[in-house]
Amino acid sequence: MDDKGTLAELQQVIEKYNKDDPSSWMRLEDALEKVRRELVPPQIFTMKQRLQTVNNVCIVVALEMGLFKTLAAKVGKSLTAEDLSKTTGYNASLIARVMRVITAIGFANETGYQTYTANGCTLAQNNPGNIGGLIISNDIVFPVASRIRQYLQQNKPVDIAKTLPAYDFAMGETIWQTLAKNIEWKTGFDDNMTARNKTLSVPWHLKYPVGERLAAGSLSAKPIIVDVGGNQGVDLQRFADTFPELECELILQDLPETIAGIPGQLDSRIKPTAHDFFTEQTAKDDVASRKILSNIANVMQPHSRLLINEMILADVNESMIRSNMDMLMLFFTNGMERTQTQWNELLATVEPPLELVQVWSATGDQQCVIETCLAE
């Protein structure tokens, strides 16, 4: 496609843009990325990509210095570098240099010489979930990045079935061991997962027709729903809110420290249970993934359904966000996001084997519900 065609395609996406439709902004993001890739001179494109690291460090600096917090507390008002200095205790000249980057990348507005005001990105980044996301993408990633060359050199050809994850190589322990003792990182990790589920994911029970399935069946006993690795219970709570009168047993399973950190009161039907999904299941009715799924499959009945709320990657032309998620999984745990073919291959190797029944998706959601059952 020539330059005019690329710009015309972007214009069409802009004309159809609806800020309240998640699929709409995803199409816009993809179209903007395409314009950047095809029209920005390669030497400029690659330079800007390299400098993303500096931008992210500046976001961390602004957060740690309290600049986002101070600006967010004065929404609609302009604050000078001197004002920010008086509140945060940091040098005004340093603040001005940091804010030069922060405003350039759109995380605050510049209203005059060394004068700033909060915008939507300022408020968003000051949210606990996004602060947690910054811990994941910077604090946890940077040590891996600093040793990735040595990791590749020493572990060539890097067969992940035989090689430790890059995180383990860099830190000398698994990410789960780190999170078990680093309270700040663990809190950030949990806050980010909770926020992502609340704001960027369509509830699983709105993708999967659970209401129709419950209405169609004659229930001889209360249905049991077990959320394995369910973090702080967002998904089960949203299910409980949607079906307030349903008699059911809702079991939330995650690591003890995650269960202990649940921020508020959950529905009375939800039973938080400390559980490591690498161990055998106690609730009835690639190696790590196979082990997790096998532990679940071993307690399933013929009528049981295992619903996996996960990404299914496209075979070609995957988005940057979903590709990034796959690489984070690789760096941290040797895990992966999968295509549908790869999901079928994995399910067939589970003991006892599982089979894919149907994939349920919603427009604009990064994840879908993969419905599985015991293979016949």
Side-chain angles (χ1 to χ4, degrees), residues 104-152:
I105 63 176
F107 273 57
N109 293 336
E110 195 170 30
T111 58
Y113 178 69
Q114 295 189 0
T115 306
Y116 321 97
T117 188
N119 61 22
C121 291
T122 314
L123 303 180
Q125 186 52 70
N126 198 50
N127 177 281
N130 287 328
I131 292 173
L134 200 62
I135 288 175
I136 294 172
S137 64
N138 290 270
D139 298 39
I140 301 180
V141 167
F142 283 171
V144 177
S146 70
R147 299 210 64 200
I148 197 66
R149 289 175 181 268
Q150 295 93 322
Y151 172 76
L152 293 171

Coordinates of all heavy atoms in Angstrom, one line a residue, residues 104-152:
A104 N 6.2 15.8 27.0 CA 6.5 15.4 25.6 C 5.8 14.1 25.3 O 5.4 13.9 24.1 CB 8.0 15.3 25.4
I105 N 5.7 13.2 26.2 CA 5.0 11.9 26.0 C 3.6 11.9 26.3 O 2.9 10.8 26.2 CB 5.8 10.7 26.7 CG1 5.7 10.9 28.2 CG2 7.2 10.6 26.2 CD1 6.3 9.7 29.0
G106 N 3.0 13.0 26.8 CA 1.6 13.1 27.0 C 1.1 12.8 28.3 O -0.1 12.6 28.5
F107 N 2.0 12.6 29.3 CA 1.5 12.2 30.7 C 1.2 13.4 31.6 O 0.8 13.2 32.7 CB 2.6 11.3 31.3 CG 2.5 9.9 31.0 CD1 2.5 9.4 29.7 CD2 2.4 8.9 32.0 CE1 2.4 8.1 29.4 CE2 2.3 7.6 31.7 CZ 2.3 7.2 30.4
A108 N 1.3 14.6 31.0 CA 0.8 15.8 31.7 C 0.8 16.9 30.6 O 1.4 16.7 29.5 CB 1.7 16.2 32.9
N109 N 0.2 18.0 30.9 CA 0.2 19.1 29.9 C 1.1 20.3 30.4 O 1.2 20.5 31.6 CB -1.2 19.7 29.8 CG -2.2 18.7 29.1 OD1 -1.7 17.8 28.4 ND2 -3.4 18.8 29.4
E110 N 1.8 20.9 29.4 CA 2.6 22.0 29.7 C 1.8 23.3 29.4 O 1.4 23.5 28.3 CB 3.9 22.0 28.9 CG 5.0 22.9 29.3 CD 6.3 22.6 28.6 OE1 6.2 22.1 27.4 OE2 7.4 22.8 29.2
T111 N 1.6 24.2 30.4 CA 0.7 25.3 30.2 C 1.5 26.6 30.1 O 0.9 27.7 29.9 CB -0.3 25.4 31.3 OG1 0.3 25.5 32.6 CG2 -1.3 24.2 31.3
G112 N 2.8 26.6 30.3 CA 3.7 27.8 30.3 C 5.1 27.3 30.6 O 5.4 26.1 30.7
Y113 N 6.0 28.3 30.8 CA 7.4 28.0 31.1 C 7.4 27.3 32.4 O 7.0 27.9 33.5 CB 8.2 29.3 31.1 CG 9.7 29.1 31.4 CD1 10.5 28.4 30.6 CD2 10.2 29.5 32.6 CE1 11.8 28.1 30.9 CE2 11.5 29.3 33.0 CZ 12.3 28.6 32.1 OH 13.6 28.3 32.5
Q114 N 7.9 26.1 32.4 CA 8.1 25.3 33.6 C 6.8 25.3 34.5 O 6.8 25.3 35.7 CB 9.2 25.8 34.5 CG 10.6 25.6 33.8 CD 11.8 25.9 34.7 OE1 11.6 26.2 35.8 NE2 13.0 25.7 34.1
T115 N 5.6 25.2 33.8 CA 4.3 25.2 34.4 C 3.5 24.0 33.8 O 3.4 23.9 32.6 CB 3.6 26.5 34.1 OG1 4.5 27.6 34.6 CG2 2.3 26.6 34.9
Y116 N 2.8 23.3 34.7 CA 2.2 22.1 34.2 C 0.8 21.9 34.9 O 0.5 22.4 35.9 CB 3.1 20.9 34.6 CG 4.5 21.2 34.4 CD1 5.3 21.6 35.5 CD2 5.1 21.1 33.2 CE1 6.7 21.9 35.3 CE2 6.5 21.4 33.0 CZ 7.2 21.8 34.1 OH 8.6 22.1 33.9
T117 N 0.0 21.0 34.2 CA -1.3 20.7 34.8 C -1.6 19.2 34.5 O -1.0 18.6 33.5 CB -2.4 21.6 34.2 OG1 -3.6 21.3 34.9 CG2 -2.6 21.3 32.7
A118 N -2.4 18.6 35.3 CA -2.7 17.2 35.1 C -3.6 17.0 33.9 O -4.4 17.8 33.5 CB -3.4 16.6 36.3
N119 N -3.5 15.8 33.2 CA -4.5 15.4 32.2 C -4.9 14.0 32.5 O -4.6 13.4 33.6 CB -3.8 15.5 30.8 CG -2.6 14.7 30.6 OD1 -2.4 13.7 31.3 ND2 -1.8 15.0 29.6
G120 N -5.6 13.4 31.6 CA -6.1 12.0 31.8 C -5.1 11.0 32.1 O -5.2 10.1 33.0
C121 N -3.9 11.1 31.4 CA -2.8 10.2 31.6 C -2.2 10.3 33.0 O -1.8 9.4 33.6 CB -1.8 10.3 30.5 SG -2.3 9.8 28.9
T122 N -2.1 11.6 33.5 CA -1.6 11.8 34.8 C -2.5 11.1 35.8 O -1.9 10.4 36.7 CB -1.7 13.3 35.2 OG1 -1.2 14.1 34.1 CG2 -0.9 13.7 36.4
L123 N -3.8 11.2 35.7 CA -4.7 10.6 36.7 C -4.6 9.1 36.5 O -4.6 8.4 37.5 CB -6.1 11.1 36.4 CG -6.3 12.6 36.5 CD1 -7.8 12.9 36.2 CD2 -5.9 13.1 37.8
A124 N -4.5 8.6 35.3 CA -4.5 7.1 35.1 C -3.2 6.5 35.7 O -3.3 5.5 36.4 CB -4.6 6.8 33.6
Q125 N -2.1 7.2 35.5 CA -0.8 6.6 36.0 C -0.7 6.7 37.5 O 0.0 5.9 38.1 CB 0.4 7.4 35.4 CG 1.7 6.8 35.7 CD 1.8 5.3 35.5 OE1 1.8 4.9 34.3 NE2 1.9 4.5 36.5
N126 N -1.5 7.6 38.1 CA -1.5 7.7 39.6 C -2.4 6.7 40.2 O -2.5 6.6 41.5 CB -2.0 9.1 40.0 CG -1.6 9.5 41.4 OD1 -0.5 9.3 41.8 ND2 -2.6 9.9 42.2
N127 N -3.1 5.9 39.4 CA -4.0 4.8 39.9 C -3.2 3.6 40.3 O -2.2 3.3 39.7 CB -5.0 4.4 38.8 CG -5.9 3.2 39.1 OD1 -5.4 2.1 39.1 ND2 -7.1 3.6 39.4
P128 N -3.5 3.0 41.5 CA -2.7 1.8 42.0 C -2.5 0.7 41.0 O -1.4 0.1 40.9 CB -3.6 1.3 43.2 CG -4.3 2.5 43.7 CD -4.6 3.3 42.4
G129 N -3.5 0.5 40.1 CA -3.3 -0.6 39.1 C -2.2 -0.3 38.1 O -1.5 -1.1 37.7
N130 N -2.2 1.0 37.7 CA -1.2 1.4 36.7 C 0.2 1.6 37.4 O 1.2 1.4 36.7 CB -1.6 2.7 36.0 CG -2.7 2.5 35.0 OD1 -2.8 1.4 34.4 ND2 -3.6 3.4 34.8
I131 N 0.2 2.0 38.6 CA 1.5 2.0 39.4 C 2.0 0.6 39.4 O 3.2 0.3 39.2 CB 1.3 2.6 40.8 CG1 0.9 4.0 40.7 CG2 2.5 2.4 41.6 CD1 0.5 4.7 42.1
G132 N 1.1 -0.4 39.7 CA 1.6 -1.8 39.7 C 2.1 -2.3 38.3 O 3.0 -3.0 38.2
G133 N 1.4 -1.8 37.2 CA 1.8 -2.1 35.9 C 3.2 -1.6 35.6 O 4.0 -2.2 34.9
L134 N 3.5 -0.4 36.2 CA 4.9 0.2 36.0 C 5.9 -0.7 36.7 O 7.1 -0.8 36.2 CB 4.9 1.6 36.5 CG 6.0 2.5 36.0 CD1 5.9 2.7 34.5 CD2 5.9 3.9 36.7
I135 N 5.6 -1.2 37.9 CA 6.5 -2.1 38.6 C 6.8 -3.3 37.7 O 7.9 -3.8 37.6 CB 5.9 -2.5 39.9 CG1 5.9 -1.4 40.9 CG2 6.6 -3.7 40.5 CD1 5.2 -1.6 42.2
I136 N 5.8 -3.9 37.1 CA 6.0 -5.1 36.2 C 6.8 -4.7 35.0 O 7.8 -5.4 34.7 CB 4.6 -5.6 35.7 CG1 3.8 -6.2 36.9 CG2 4.8 -6.8 34.7 CD1 2.4 -6.6 36.6
S137 N 6.5 -3.6 34.3 CA 7.2 -3.3 33.0 C 8.5 -2.7 33.2 O 9.3 -2.6 32.3 CB 6.3 -2.4 32.2 OG 6.1 -1.2 32.8
N138 N 8.9 -2.2 34.4 CA 10.1 -1.6 34.7 C 11.0 -2.2 35.7 O 12.0 -2.8 35.5 CB 9.9 -0.1 35.0 CG 9.4 0.7 33.8 OD1 10.2 1.2 33.1 ND2 8.1 0.7 33.6
D139 N 10.5 -2.2 37.0 CA 11.3 -2.7 38.1 C 11.6 -4.2 37.9 O 12.7 -4.7 38.2 CB 10.5 -2.6 39.4 CG 10.3 -1.1 39.8 OD1 9.9 -0.4 38.9 OD2 10.3 -0.8 41.0
I140 N 10.6 -5.0 37.4 CA 10.8 -6.4 37.2 C 11.6 -6.7 35.9 O 12.4 -7.6 35.8 CB 9.5 -7.2 37.3 CG1 8.8 -6.9 38.7 CG2 9.7 -8.6 37.1 CD1 7.5 -7.6 38.9
V141 N 11.3 -5.9 34.9 CA 11.8 -6.2 33.5 C 13.3 -5.7 33.4 O 14.1 -6.4 32.8 CB 11.0 -5.6 32.4 CG1 11.8 -5.6 31.1 CG2 9.7 -6.3 32.3
F142 N 13.6 -4.6 34.0 CA 15.0 -4.0 33.8 C 16.1 -4.9 34.2 O 17.1 -5.0 33.5 CB 15.0 -2.7 34.5 CG 14.4 -1.5 33.8 CD1 14.2 -0.3 34.4 CD2 13.9 -1.7 32.5 CE1 13.5 0.7 33.7 CE2 13.2 -0.7 31.8 CZ 13.1 0.5 32.5
P143 N 16.0 -5.6 35.4 CA 17.1 -6.6 35.7 C 17.3 -7.6 34.7 O 18.4 -8.1 34.4 CB 16.7 -7.1 37.1 CG 15.8 -6.1 37.7 CD 15.0 -5.6 36.5
V144 N 16.2 -8.1 34.1 CA 16.2 -9.1 33.0 C 16.9 -8.5 31.8 O 17.8 -9.1 31.2 CB 14.8 -9.6 32.7 CG1 14.9 -10.6 31.5 CG2 14.2 -10.3 33.9
A145 N 16.5 -7.3 31.4 CA 17.1 -6.6 30.3 C 18.6 -6.4 30.4 O 19.4 -6.5 29.4 CB 16.4 -5.2 30.0
S146 N 19.1 -6.1 31.6 CA 20.5 -5.8 31.9 C 21.3 -7.1 31.7 O 22.6 -7.0 31.5 CB 20.7 -5.3 33.3 OG 20.5 -6.3 34.3
R147 N 20.7 -8.3 31.7 CA 21.5 -9.5 31.6 C 21.1 -10.4 30.4 O 21.5 -11.5 30.3 CB 21.4 -10.3 32.9 CG 22.0 -9.6 34.1 CD 22.6 -10.6 35.1 NE 23.7 -11.3 34.6 CZ 24.1 -12.5 35.1 NH1 23.5 -13.0 36.1 NH2 25.2 -13.1 34.5
I148 N 20.2 -9.8 29.5 CA 19.7 -10.7 28.5 C 20.7 -11.1 27.5 O 20.7 -12.2 26.9 CB 18.5 -9.9 27.8 CG1 17.6 -10.9 27.0 CG2 19.0 -8.8 26.9 CD1 16.9 -11.9 27.8
R149 N 21.7 -10.3 27.2 CA 22.8 -10.7 26.3 C 23.6 -11.9 26.8 O 23.8 -12.8 26.1 CB 23.8 -9.5 26.1 CG 23.2 -8.3 25.3 CD 24.2 -7.2 25.2 NE 23.7 -6.0 24.5 CZ 23.9 -5.8 23.2 NH1 24.6 -6.7 22.5 NH2 23.4 -4.8 22.6
Q150 N 24.0 -11.8 28.1 CA 24.7 -12.9 28.7 C 23.8 -14.2 28.7 O 24.3 -15.3 28.5 CB 25.1 -12.6 30.1 CG 26.1 -11.5 30.2 CD 25.5 -10.1 30.4 OE1 24.4 -9.8 29.9 NE2 26.1 -9.3 31.2
Y151 N 22.5 -14.0 29.0 CA 21.6 -15.1 29.0 C 21.6 -15.9 27.7 O 21.7 -17.1 27.6 CB 20.2 -14.6 29.4 CG 19.1 -15.7 29.2 CD1 18.9 -16.7 30.2 CD2 18.2 -15.6 28.2 CE1 17.9 -17.6 30.1 CE2 17.2 -16.6 28.0 CZ 17.0 -17.6 29.0 OH 16.0 -18.5 28.9
L152 N 21.5 -15.1 26.6 CA 21.4 -15.7 25.2 C 22.7 -16.3 24.9 O 22.8 -17.4 24.2 CB 21.0 -14.6 24.2 CG 19.6 -14.0 24.4 CD1 19.4 -12.8 23.4 CD2 18.6 -15.1 24.0

